[in-house]
Amino acid sequence: MEGIGGDGTSPASPLPQWGHNAWRRYQYYLDKSTPHSTYRWIGTLVVVAIYCLRVYYVQGFYIVSYGLGIYLLNLLIGFLSPLVDPELEGSDGPVLPTKGSDEFKPFIRRLPEFKFWYTMTKAFCIAFLMTFFSVFDVPVFWPILLCYWGVLFVLTMRRQIGHMIKYKYIPFNIGKQKYTGKKASGSISGSRGD
């Protein structure tokens, strides 16, 4: 009986260590994927396609899809919204330009692109897992849910797009912005040694 608990380690200690190592590996690959936005979004489209095929072949789980749609609409509003709303903020600080002579202020999202992508992908994965539990397969008339979601989308996006037009900001950009002005005739192309 000396060998049981004598050295202070419990037999369950490898499991938390394994979980911690798996979480660190997951974070490592997640951090590594940060600069590759195109590949991340392609992966998300694959996850979306798998979810859609699952819902189509099962012919159910419309309430899960409706909840997912509402959640994604909320994420989209956060992604398209500026961090500081010029309508709510007083004129004592910097504002987005409203005419050509105004100084350019960069668009800073309330929800950054990486967080938008990560949360959206995670939501589709959770919704996919929910389709394996029959408790979430509530019988509903899906055209009504689709109509409700369409009305909600139009009402919220109309305000959001009107706001974007009024303050002239475009929230979509892929990658770093590059200077496309004049290039010197003797410039070195491909100066990085990758």
Side-chain angles (χ1 to χ4, degrees), residues 63-137:
I63 200 76
V64 172
S65 298
Y66 178 70
L68 178 66
I70 296 297
Y71 183 69
L72 293 179
L73 184 62
N74 187 18
L75 287 177
L76 186 64
I77 289 170
F79 179 70
L80 295 176
S81 300
L83 183 63
V84 178
D85 191 356
E87 291 178 352
L88 300 177
E89 183 184 76
S91 61
D92 54 339
V95 295
L96 292 171
T98 54
K99 53 186 180 254
S101 64
D102 286 346
E103 180 185 345
F104 174 74
K105 305 283 189 298
F107 177 80
I108 301 172
R109 295 183 183 94
R110 188 170 10 138
L111 183 66
E113 186 268 338
F114 183 80
K115 199 173 221 182
F116 175 63
W117 164 80
Y118 180 72
T119 312
M120 182 175 164
T121 306
K122 190 166 65 170
F124 271 104
C125 291
I126 291 171
F128 178 74
L129 291 176
M130 288 173 74
T131 62
F132 289 100
F133 299 100
S134 62
V135 72
F136 297 115
D137 193 12

Side-chain angles (χ1 to χ4, degrees), residues 163-174:
H163 193 266
M164 289 167 59
I165 291 170
K166 180 180 178 184
Y167 291 100
K168 296 180 183 174
Y169 63 84
I170 302 171
F172 301 106
N173 62 354
I174 296 179

